Structures are given as structure tokens and as C-alpha cells.
Amino acid sequence: MSNLIKFKIDGKECMAEAGKFIVDAAADNGIYIPTLCNMKGVKPKGACRICSVRINGRLMTSCTTPVADGMEIESNSTDIQDLRKSIIELLFVSGNHFCPACEKSGNCELQALAYRYQMMVPRYPYEFPMKPVDASSPRIIKDQNRCIFCKRCIKTIKDETGRSYFVFRNRGHKLEVVLDEEMGKTINSATAHLAMENCPVGSILVKEKGFDTPIGKRKYDKEPIGSDIKL
Amino acid sequence: MENTVKQIVEKYNTNRNRLMDMLIDIQESEGYISRDAIATLSQLLEMSQADVEQTLSFYHFFSTKPRGKYAVYLNNSPVAYMFGREAIKEAFEKSAGVRFGEVTSDGKIGLFDTACIGMNDQEPAAIINNMVFTRLTPYRVRELVKMMKEDKPIEELRKESFGDGKNYLPSLRSMVSSNIRRKGMILSDDYHFGTVLREKLPTLSPEGVIGEIKHSAIRGRGGAGFPTGLKWEFCRRAKGDKHYVVCNADEGEPGTFKDRVILTEKPELVFEGMALAGYAIGGEEGILYIRYEYRYMKDYLEEVLHKMRKEGLLGTNISGIEGFNFDIRIQFGAGAYVCGEESALLESLEGKRGEPRDKPPFPVERGYLGYPTIINNVETFATAVRIVQNGGEWFTQFGTDDSTGTKILSISGDCMFPGVYEVNWGFNVEDMLDMVGAYDVQAVQVGGPSGTLIGPDEFHRTLGYSDLSTGGSMIIFGKQRNLLRDVVVNFMEFFIDESCGSCSTCRNMTQVMNNKLKKILAGKGVANDLKDLKEWGRVLNASRCGLGQTAANPIISSLKNFRPLYEALLQKDKDFDEGFDLEKSVQASCSYVGRVPVFNHH
Ligand SMILES: Cc1cc2nc3c(=O)[nH]c(=O)nc-3n(C[C@H](O)[C@H](O)[C@H](O)COP(=O)(O)O)c2cc1C
Ligand code: SF4
Ligand code: SF4
Ligand code: SF4
Ligand code: FES
């Protein structure tokens, strides 16, 4: 049944089923490639670009590119690692992230990646953009200051008829992810919690309850992001 | 209103993929897309309101607020500024009594900026209710505004003669000029439309057509330069119940306008090329995706299609070839440069935001509605006809070894004779400048903002895929121009506005770099800033599509070729920004509140 192929990441011989996306194939071989927008089992949309690797001299996102037989993938080189760090820094300076006051701190993938990539001070100037917080839904707070536009909520949080609760608005630097006003009024508790869980950062928060798990005991307080991937 | 929306939705069979058409029709009939219209639309299409808005808010020409009975869109490309845009803008604001971005309180006149509208050879130009007004002067603007205030029909505002070429035709009635200055195989008048479909195809198999195209070695004319024959072959081989032919007439790269001219003067050639491609790949449907700025051509192009149907050049069993069925429909964009990127174009065709797709898969495998699709530039289709007419071998005598055939250039800026010139590939920049009467040239922007800015020491270079590759945009800047302030910033802001926003890199880095450029222009730059700019630009290579990948080019190429311009602006003897300066900050804050600072120096 399984159609195994051989490929290389940073010179290391790897094996995977043909057609698997590179991130997953890498993980199967104990190699961690950072991701932010990608979610297992959900059709990828290479948005954050942090999983970029080099194949045949070209940068490709490993969450959207299937492995092929004989592929030679470069992932751990200095410039690619620096590219990933740059992206993390860009995401910090283009939003407003004050971790100590954020409910997601410790469970936040962006913060965890910043630690993993040892970001101290971003090399880019902070933009301190003015961004609104939408608290009009009875269940959800949508904080634009922390959104990294990964599209996870758009792709995964839907009602029975398949309509998305969250959508994009505008484009480019004015891009926003917004909650549909009408649907936001009736979103149920389970869906709201799922939305918060699927959001890699603290841009979707469920109202009225927080800090269930104290800071210090959260997911990435214990070990760095990506620690689950090893042989 | 509700009824209007209902009728519009029915006109497109309640098909969500036609959301763009619906929004265009609503915008045109109501002047905007109201909350109520969105509500009705979303109900009928079983979408959430926010979902309708996510498409709507992507496109520049859609608005949820009234844009005025007369909506004026004034081009803001650098060339418009070079030809007096500031004065035109001022005249509009003064006589209308509102600023750009606003609508007069009586709802009559709205003034808006818009990115290059493809009229660089006749600037300053504006679009008012889909009619293009070119070569504006302050006097003309005052006259236009006066007539708008008097509610004159838009046709009456046209006080000029029609442009040259076919612009006088009853279905066009346009003041736009084609300005054809040099003809080659495409723009020449020696081809009788339909000859290839009628006389050649009955003797050639689809593979035979692809063979000729491959033999000609033609590469795509839209900028990326992919070999056309290969593309058609891949698509023909790709499995799918249907195959589509899409013609890319989005023409959004600032400074290009040659597709506008081809579609005005030789639309039959383009449509014939699409039919030819349909025959080659086994597709029966063609779509012309054309930018909304060219909406004034709608009736004309529909008329040409109608005539071709009547003549049997479109329809069923074309030229008596059993099973050769092909027809074309026209689909408009709504103001988004990125929709020229082929996969974004497909998304837009499906009624969605124009966000480029991840590749692979490529459109030849999975394109429009998931079916194998070829997307080619207007000029590529037109050229294909001449190739099949005369054979691939014939074609290779034009141009150079790696860039065969002719190229239609859109030349604008500081020169005597802006317009379109069809030349053989291999033409060098020096000759080009002499051809168009350009003297005292400081720089040429080759290939638009995503291309390169070159100076005199590179004018010996030649146009071709292996040297100066170009989709055809050539903007000439004389010695009197301020390249950084008037060109580079303008182009950077273009990319910032036009990014779809998907990629973290393209959405943010363009802004970060432009901020740094502005810091330098404000006289606050330090030597280190130039290093930063060069380094930081590399991050954009990780972007999904060509827009992001080339979005730093205005800065990177001007920094490479015009470094002294940057260096002259830097603070002397300062390599890096110093930390916080208490005295300066106290002085600044005192000056805001009108106090005098007292410093105690011990
Ligand atoms: C941001 C962006 C804008 C583009 N705009 C256009 C355009 O307006 N017209 C065009 O033909 N190609 C445009 N392209 C190139 C297309 O993606 C595609 O390569 C081309 O339409 C293929 O046709 P060709 O092979 O005949 O050139 C654009 C590409 C990018 C990345
Ligand atoms: S979302 Fe993450 S990075 Fe942003 S403030 Fe919260 S914890 Fe920090
Ligand atoms: S709200 Fe969260 S999940 Fe949704 S796009 Fe923003 S960061 Fe991603
Ligand atoms: S590079 Fe820019 S325009 Fe292209 S997909 Fe990414 S964000 Fe959109
Ligand atoms: S994880 Fe691949 S692009 Fe975001």
C-alpha cells in the first residue's frame, strides 16, 4: 500500500510516503521545521512563510510542497534560519504584542518561536499600529493587535452549513481577520473554545474566563516548541 | 434595491463563482454596495455577510459607501505626476470643494486616487464613470466639474475628438489614443482575421499546432517568460473533463498599456489566438479577464465577439472541423494588480479575493474551477496566430536566439513620442531612447516597478529574456527628476497597496522598507540604513508570488544603480542611529507645549 520514497534534508537520508507534505515528512524523520499557519489535517495555505526551505535553489514552503523522490531539501542553513527569525520579528513589529498581559502567553506559538529562535529585540523598528479590539460578540474577543493572519480560524471554524465565522477584510497592510457580526452573536461555547484553541496566538479569546492554567505551567513553559519532534 | 439585487443574482444563475460580476453590476447600478445589498446578496447566495464583504473589500473599485454620482479616479503613477498631476488634483479639489478620498455633500462628485490606469502615454488621465479622460489640464478639470455639478450626462462631458485608430468606433467612442508608433507582425495590417482558423487548422492537428508553437520558441509576453508551447502541451496532457483558455488582460504593471492597444486595434487577433489555443489544448471555453480600468471597451469587445460568432469563427464545429467548439466570455476585474498573477486571476474568476494560490499544483493541472487551464498574455495569443500562419521556423528569424519574435513596448515618461512600439527582441536601450526621442535621460525603469531601474552606463544592454527581460513597460526619467522621492517611494507604495496580504513577508516587509526609505529622505538616514535595506529585502524572496518576490526591487535596484543619490541624503559621519538623546527629546517636547528647556550641566 504505502509507496515509500527517499529524499534528503540537510544531507540526512529520509524516507516518507510519496505525496506527503515536506513538514510532515520531515517530522516523521525526526526533523523539526517550524510552522505557524499550518495545521495538521487542514488544507495548507502557505501564509506565514516560516516553514520555507530551499529546493533546487528556490525557496518553497514545506507545508504546501509535497516530497518527491530524490528531493534534496535545505532547511537548517544559516540564511534560512535567519529568514525564519526575520519573519518572527516582522510579525512582532507589525502588531502589538505585550506578552505579560496576554492570556495566550505560554501557549502562544509565536512567542514560543521567538524563544526558540532567541529573538531578543527585533531588528526592525516597531510600527505600533492602531488596531481595534472587537468585543461585540457575547462569547469572543477578537483582538486585531495580535492577529498574524494565519487563516487557521477562517479554515476551521464553520457552522453547520459550512459558512466561516471568521473572514478576511481588506488587503495588504490593511488586512484584518474579522468575526461575522451576525454569526458572532450566536456562536456557541464549544465553537468559541475551538476557535481560541486553533488560533496560534492570543487574537481570539473566549470571554469571561481566563488564566485557567497559571503562567509557568503552560504548554511552552515546560519545553520549547517543536520538542515533540524527535526520533 | 432588493429587486435589483435579485435580478442581478438571477442573471448569473445564483452562481457564487460569478460574485465579481454581481458586485460590479450592483456597484454600477447603485453607485455603491450598501449594507442591504450585501444582506440580500448573502442570503440569496447562502453565504455569510462577512464572506461577501471579504471579496468586496479586496477590490479597489468596490465600495460600501456611495462614491458619488460622478466618481473620479485620478491616476497616481509617477508619470502622471511628471505631467502635472498636482495641478490637476488641486483643480479638482478646488472646483469640487472636497478633498481626494471624499464625496461632495450633495453626493454628486467623488474624488479618488487610483493606481496606473494604463494611460501613461497620455497623462494626466482620470476615469469618470467608466469613461477615460486623458491629457487633463486645470482648465478642462474646471469645465468637467462644472458640468458634473449641472448633472450633465457623462457623454456630454466629452468635448474632445475621439482618439486615433479605432477609438472613434460607435461602440468605443473613446478619447483614448492608441499611439501606435511602430508596427511589426502583430500590429501590422497585413493579416486577414480568421485566416488561421479557416485555412490552417483544417490541415493541422492540435499536436501540430503545439509543435509549431514549440518550434517558434515563443515565451510568454506577460513578463514571466514561460515557454508557451510547453504550457499548452502540459495542459493538453493534463486530465480533466474540461480545459479552459484564459487570456490575461489585467495589465496592471505601472507603465504598461500595450495590451490596451492590442485589444483596441486587433481584438480579433487575440480572440482568434484564444480559439486556436482552445483547439490545441482541447478546450471549449475561453475567458478574457480584463481589468476594470478598461471597462470602456466592454461594448466594443462584445461586439467583436458577436461578429466572430456570426462569421463562424466562434461557436460549434468552427471552420467545419467536427468537434471544434469554442466560445469566449469577458470577465472584468475590479481594481487589484495582483489579479494579474495567474493563480490570483483564477481566484478572482471564481468570484473570490485575488489571493495567489500555492504552487504546485500549477494552473495547467488545476486551474479554473479545478480544471486544467492555460493562462496567457494578450500579446502571446495574438502572436500565436502569426506563428501558426507562417510556421514556427519563420518566427525564429525575428529577435535573438533565446528571445524569438517581436515585443510590443509601452514607452512613456520623458520622451518626445510616448506610445507603443513593436520591435524585434534584442533591441538595445540606447537605440530605444533614440527611437522615441529621449534626451538627457537619467534613468529608465525597465519592466515596471517589479523590474529594474537602470542608468546610462547600462543603456548598451539589450531587451531579451537573458538580459533585460520585460513585459513591455519602459518609463523614461529625465535629468530633472528626483528618482528616490518621486519614483521609488511611489512604486513602494504601489506594492504596499496592492499586496494581497497573505504572506507575512510581503504584507509587512514592504512597509518596513518604505519607512526606512522615508527616514532617509527626511534626512535622518545613517550609513547602516543602506546595509539594512539591502539585507532586509532578501526576506521577500520567501513570498508566495511574484508581487512579493519583486516588491523590494524599486529600492534594491535604485540602491544598486544610483547609490550616490542615497548617500547624498545620509547624515555625515554617522554610521548608526545613536541611542536616546535626552536633551533633544526634552527640547522637542518643550517646543510642543511652548516652554523653554533648562539644562543643568554639571
Ligand atoms: C503581481 C503579478 C502581476 C502580473 N500581472 C500580469 C498582467 O497584468 N498580465 C499578464 O499577462 N501577466 C501578468 N503576470 C504574469 C502572469 O502570472 C502569467 O505569468 C502570465 O499571464 C502568463 O502568460 P504568458 O506566459 O503569456 O506571459 C503577473 C504576475 C505577477 C506576479
Ligand atoms: S499573542 Fe503571543 S506573542 Fe502576542 S502578546 Fe500574546 S503571547 Fe505574546
Ligand atoms: S485570529 Fe488567530 S487564527 Fe485567526 S488568522 Fe488571526 S492569528 Fe490566525
Ligand atoms: S507575495 Fe504578496 S501578493 Fe503575493 S501572495 Fe504573498 S502577500 Fe499576496
Ligand atoms: S507553516 Fe508553511 S507557510 Fe506557514
Side-chain angles (χ1 to χ4, degrees), chain B residues 218-228 231-232 246-253 256 258-259 291 337-345 356 359 375-381 450 465 495 498 545-550:
Chain B
I218 182 182
R219 296 167 63 169
R221 299 320 198 206
F226 191 83
T228 306
K231 186 183 277 188
W232 292 16
V246 174
C247 177
N248 187 345
D250 197 50
E251 187 153 71
E253 187 84 39
T256 53
K258 49 105 187 164
D259 292 341
R291 64 192 312 220
Y337 161 63
V338 69
C339 288
E341 195 281 338
E342 53 188 17
S343 62
L345 187 153
K359 292 169 219 169
I375 299 152
N376 280 111
N377 177 254
V378 170
E379 187 181 347
T380 312
F381 282 119
S450 66
Y465 293 100
F495 286 129
E498 298 296 334
C545 85
L547 191 154
Q549 287 157 10
T550 59

Side-chain angles (χ1 to χ4, degrees), chain A residues 142 147-153 177 198-201 203-204:
Chain A
K142 178 72 185 72
C147 185
I148 56 166
F149 310 98
C150 68
K151 253 191 168 178
R152 283 190 190 179
C153 55
V177 173
N198 286 357
C199 178
V201 291
S203 184
I204 300 175

Side-chain angles (χ1 to χ4, degrees), chain A residues 112-181:
Chain A
L113 279 167
Y115 279 125
R116 183 164 177 138
Y117 280 83
Q118 300 182 350
M119 180 187 96
M120 305 305 281
V121 177
R123 73 197 80 175
Y124 314 114
Y126 281 102
E127 290 175 25
F128 299 120
M130 291 286 287
K131 296 202 173 207
V133 177
D134 173 14
S136 63
S137 155
R139 288 204 199 277
I140 278 182
I141 299 174
K142 178 72 185 72
D143 187 342
Q144 302 296 3
N145 293 286
R146 300 173 186 150
C147 185
I148 56 166
F149 310 98
C150 68
K151 253 191 168 178
R152 283 190 190 179
C153 55
I154 299 179
K155 288 187 297 187
T156 60
I157 310 301
K158 301 191 173 180
D159 71 0
E160 325 72 56
T161 64
R163 297 184 309 168
S164 293
Y165 283 89
F166 297 89
V167 296
F168 269 166
R169 189 159 69 194
N170 302 326
R171 70 181 185 207
H173 210 65
K174 300 200 180 98
L175 189 66
E176 284 181 326
V177 173
V178 295
L179 174 60
D180 183 83
E181 209 180 305

Side-chain angles (χ1 to χ4, degrees), chain B residues 363-387:
Chain B
V364 286
E365 301 159 343
R366 242 181 288 157
Y368 181 54
L369 303 174
Y371 298 109
T373 303
I374 55 159
I375 299 152
N376 280 111
N377 177 254
V378 170
E379 187 181 347
T380 312
F381 282 119
T383 312
V385 176
R386 301 310 305 263
I387 292 171

Side-chain angles (χ1 to χ4, degrees), chain B residues 398-415:
Chain B
F398 303 98
T400 66
D401 284 351
D402 78 332
S403 312
T404 52
T406 62
K407 179 78 194 102
I408 304 183
L409 304 174
S410 316
I411 306 183
S412 66
D414 291 312
C415 63

Side-chain angles (χ1 to χ4, degrees), chain A residues 7 9 12-16 24-31 229 231:
Chain A
F7 64 103
I9 300 183
K12 182 180 174 231
E13 296 272 6
C14 299
M15 298 246 273
D24 301 326
D28 293 348
N29 287 276
I31 294 172
I229 295 173
L231 279 182

Side-chain angles (χ1 to χ4, degrees), chain A residues 46 48-49 151 168 170-171, chain B residues 54 58 353 355 504 542 544:
Chain A
C48 71
R49 319 306 292 174
K151 253 191 168 178
F168 269 166
N170 302 326
R171 70 181 185 207
Chain B
Q54 91 168 329
F58 189 85
R353 298 167 61 83
E355 285 169 24
S504 62
R544 187 189 301 152

